[in-house]
Amino acid sequence: EPEVTQTPSHQVTQMGQEVILRCVPISNHLYFYWYRQILGQKVEFLVSFYNNEISEKSEIFDDQFSVERPDGSNFTLKIRSTKLEDSAMYFCASRSGLAGGDEQFFGPGTRLTVL
Amino acid sequence: GEDVEQSLFLSVREGDSSVINCTYTDSSSTYLYWYKQEPGAGLQLLTYIFSNMDMKQDQRLTVLLNKKDKHLSLRIADTQTGDSAIYFCAETPASGGSYIPTFGRGTSLIVHP
C-alpha cells in the first residue's frame, strides 16, 4: 500500500543552524502539507503546496520557513535558523486531489530537537 | 478561531468499550474526523462523519455527532490491546474549500488486560 515517508526520523541540531526535513509523498498525489506538533500540544498546520507553489500557510510559517519540491518525488521543509521553540514533531501529508480524494495521508513524522 | 478540545487520557480494560469525546467550536464544520496515531507512526484516518449526519458505524467503531452541543464521540467496541494509541479529533470548515483540519491535542487510549 502506498505511504508517505519522511526522513530523518529524528534530527538533532544546534540553535541557529539550518535544517531540511524531507518527505516523499504518495506518487500520484497533487497536494502536499506540513504540520507540526510541539510536545503535549495540538497538531498545527504550517503550509500547503500545490502546483509548485504555496497555496495556504499559517501564521507559524514565517520567513524562517520555506518549502520546495526539488524533483518529482521529494517535498522538503527548510528552517533557516532554528530556534529552541522549533523543537517539535513535523508531519508531512499528501492528498490526491482527484475526485473522491479528500483524505490526507500522513507520514510518520520527523522529531526535531533544537539544542 | 476554531478550537477542538478532547481529554488527554483514557484507560480501559481489554474487552470493554472505549468512548473518546471531543468538543469543537466551529459551527460551520463540514467534516469531523478521528485519526489514530500508533507509536512511531503517522496519523491514520480512522473514520469521519459529515456534519449533516448524527451517527456513523464502521465495524467496531461508532461515531456520534451532537451538532447542537458541538460534541463528537468515538466509541470502540470490544477494545483490544492493539487499539492502544493516541486518537485525534479534527474538523474542517465548511467554507473556502479548505481541507486543512483543526486538530485536538489527542487522547491517549491505554488498554490493559
Side-chain angles (χ1 to χ4, degrees), chain B residues 7-23:
Chain B
S7 54
L8 294 182
F9 297 99
L10 177 66
S11 177
V12 299
R13 192 179 299 276
E14 190 175 16
D16 287 350
S17 292
S18 309
V19 179
I20 303 172
N21 294 300
C22 169
T23 57

Side-chain angles (χ1 to χ4, degrees), chain A residues 2-6 23-26 29 92-95 105-109:
Chain A
E3 58 183 14
V4 176
T5 59
Q6 291 185 242
C23 169
V24 179
I26 294 173
H29 283 190
C92 172
S94 70
R95 177 169 71 88
F105 291 82
F106 284 80

